[in-house]
């Protein structure tokens, strides 16, 4: 069973094969559950011309925001852009191509891509600029638009715990977009806080089976808080 071992020894090995102009699907929501060290490795590699699919682009100087600093991202497919001033600046100037996508539609694009479903119909976006130029069908008197799924050259995600075979357990809200994003990559790379031996995880607690994971690495995480709110004394 040694061939099932997904663990790699370095972040360089984890992201080996990533090249310019590829598509990367990234898990996380804001700064919660982001694969922060894998993103840093992309920055270190200097890979450019990337299309990045993610709910948002982190914040200035954190998460995917560090890739915007070096103009490594050519296009973002996102549903939310409100926490990153550099993202807004590059989008408004036309320097960064942005495909704004309703959040639920984006989640389903990832899930469907990972499930081998090439497209699906959704009512979300019909009659708005989101639906312009897309095929429309009527079901039970309601109009739906055809949305294509997303498959990336790479997907990067973060989980809480994994065994060496890549079976993943996420922790609370850090689960967010990660399962769908991870499944939608041709090469799926996941970093985790803890790696255990096969058989140590309760099968009923596994959120994503290792069949979807190609490479696994244990990392140390900063876990930056996006917006710190405290109660007044």
């Amino acid at each position: 069973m040694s061939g099932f071992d997904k663990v790699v020894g370095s972040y360089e090995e984890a992201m080996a094969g990533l090249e310019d102009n590829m598509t990367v699907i990234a898990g996380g929501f804001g700064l919660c559950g982001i694969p922060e060290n894998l993103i840093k490795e992309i920055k270190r590699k200097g890979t450019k011309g990337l299309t990045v699919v993610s709910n948002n682009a982190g914040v200035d100087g954190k998460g995917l925001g560090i890739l915007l600093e070096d103009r490594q991202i050519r296009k973002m497919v996102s549903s939310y852009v409100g926490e990153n001033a550099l993202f807004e600046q590059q989008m408004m100037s036309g320097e960064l191509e942005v495909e704004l996508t309703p959040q639920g539609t984006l989640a389903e694009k990832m899930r469907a891509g990972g499930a081998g479903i090439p497209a699906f119909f959704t009512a979300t976006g019909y009659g708005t600029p989101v639906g312009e130029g897309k095929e429309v069908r009527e079901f039970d008197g309601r109009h739906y638009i055809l949305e294509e799924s997303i498959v990336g050259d790479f997907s990067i995600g973060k989980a809480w715990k994994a065994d060496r075979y890549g079976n993943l357990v996420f922790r609370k809200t850090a689960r967010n977009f990660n399962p769908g994003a991870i499944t939608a990559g041709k090469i799926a790379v996941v970093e985790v806080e803890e790696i255990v031996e096969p058989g140590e995880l309760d099968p009923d607690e596994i959120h994503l089976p290792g069949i979807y994971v190609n490479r696994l690495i244990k990392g140390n995480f900063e876990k930056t808080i996006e917006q710190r709110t405290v109660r007044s004394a």
Side-chain angles (χ1 to χ4, degrees):
M1 298 289 286
S2 61
F4 285 83
D5 194 329
K6 308 295 178 65
V7 179
V8 298
S10 68
Y11 278 91
E12 183 177 5
E13 185 180 356
M15 295 307 297
L18 180 68
E19 299 178 354
D20 292 352
N21 304 312
M22 282 186 168
T23 296
V24 177
I25 302 178
F29 188 100
L31 296 180
C32 178
I34 62 170
E36 57 189 71
N37 297 302
L38 293 172
I39 295 170
K40 290 175 183 176
E41 175 61 18
I42 296 174
K43 182 179 179 69
R44 187 199 67 78
K45 286 172 66 70
T47 315
K48 295 186 180 294
L50 296 173
T51 296
V52 177
V53 183
S54 177
N55 179 65
N56 61 304
V59 300
D60 295 281
K62 300 290 182 182
L64 291 171
I66 66 174
L67 302 184
L68 293 173
E69 294 172 348
D70 294 338
R71 275 49 178 185
Q72 291 175 259
I73 301 176
R74 178 187 64 83
K75 178 180 179 180
M76 282 292 308
V77 180
S78 301
S79 65
Y80 180 66
V81 300
E83 298 293 337
N84 193 316
L86 183 57
F87 186 119
E88 179 185 10
Q89 175 187 325
Q90 292 183 6
M91 179 179 71
M92 296 301 291
S93 69
E95 185 177 1
L96 176 68
E97 184 180 349
V98 178
E99 183 179 323
L100 289 174
T101 306
Q103 195 167 87
T105 301
L106 182 61
E108 180 61 15
K109 279 174 172 280
M110 295 179 185
R111 191 205 68 80
I117 300 169
F120 57 92
F121 282 99
T122 176
T124 304
Y126 171 74
T128 76
V130 170
E132 290 180 1
K134 296 176 181 176
E135 181 181 342
V136 177
R137 291 275 299 274
E138 184 177 333
F139 299 94
D140 295 326
R142 189 176 186 186
H143 290 95
Y144 294 77
I145 59 174
L146 184 67
E147 291 279 6
E148 294 185 6
S149 62
I150 293 175
V151 176
D153 299 292
F154 272 75
S155 61
I156 56 175
K158 179 186 182 289
W160 173 45
K161 188 184 294 187
D163 64 23
R164 301 183 69 85
Y165 294 169
N167 295 303
L168 304 179
V169 178
F170 301 94
R171 183 165 174 78
K172 301 185 185 297
T173 56
R175 190 170 175 179
N176 53 61
F177 275 83
N178 274 297
I182 291 165
T183 65
K186 296 176 183 176
I187 299 176
V189 188
V190 181
E191 56 179 337
V192 296
E193 298 179 36
E194 181 181 355
I195 297 177
V196 301
E197 293 303 315
E200 291 188 38
L201 296 179
D202 184 336
D204 286 336
E205 294 179 352
I206 293 171
H207 296 134
L208 190 68
I211 192 172
Y212 290 105
V213 178
N214 298 102
R215 302 170 188 169
L216 183 71
I217 187 166
K218 182 181 182 297
N220 295 309
F221 301 92
E222 186 179 356
K223 295 185 180 180
T224 305
I225 296 174
E226 190 169 347
Q227 293 189 19
R228 185 181 297 274
T229 303
V230 297
R231 185 174 60 186
S232 58

